[in-house]
Amino acid sequence: MLQVYSAQHPTEAHYVKGLLESGGIACVVRGESLFAARGELPITTETAPSIWIVDDATYNDAIEVINEYEKLRNKDTANDPKWVCKKCGEESEAQFTDCWNCLEPRDPE
Ligand SMILES: [Zn+2]
């Protein structure tokens, strides 16, 4: 058993577990009871629910899945609206500072 991820809360832990399982990686969530019991205690890495893989041989695959998940999650949390290029009118995602189409910089508004 190896720990591959420390989640913010049980919902996230189960989401990541589902991702791993759909990739054929057997895993378990640990620490949920701690989460329920700790009430008002501050969230720490010791009390957060964590994901453990059953077979150590799947570790690299698991890390790959988690890296993909974190990339997507970071994208989601940067949920600024898309912006429209003043030069060519194309929409760019909020995380881009230049137009993907014509490389015109985003106007500071
Ligand atoms: Zn443009």
Side-chain angles (χ1 to χ4, degrees):
M1 297 280 277
L2 282 171
Q3 182 180 344
V4 293
Y5 192 69
S6 179
Q8 309 284 318
H9 45 70
T11 309
E12 186 191 26
H14 281 277
Y15 181 76
V16 173
K17 181 174 186 272
L19 287 179
L20 290 168
E21 285 175 342
S22 67
I25 300 162
C27 58
V28 295
V29 175
R30 286 186 176 176
E32 279 184 287
S33 52
L34 285 173
F35 190 95
R38 74 186 177 200
E40 299 298 308
L41 291 176
I43 296 172
T44 69
T45 49
E46 283 76 30
T47 55
S50 53
I51 317 257
W52 295 69
I53 52 169
V54 174
D55 181 354
D56 293 0
T58 61
Y59 183 78
N60 287 342
D61 291 339
I63 292 298
E64 214 169 285
V65 169
I66 284 161
N67 284 342
E68 279 302 306
Y69 162 70
E70 288 190 318
K71 248 188 261 173
L72 285 172
R73 188 192 60 186
N74 292 339
K75 215 167 145 189
D76 283 348
T77 51
N79 59 349
D80 295 341
K82 289 180 178 177
W83 55 280
V84 176
C85 175
K86 289 206 163 68
K87 190 173 168 190
C88 72
E90 285 291 346
E91 273 192 348
S92 292
E93 300 285 349
Q95 68 264 33
F96 296 119
T97 53
D98 299 322
C99 173
W100 65 269
N101 185 46
C102 70
L103 303 180
E104 182 80 358
R106 182 182 187 174
D107 277 353
E109 291 187 345

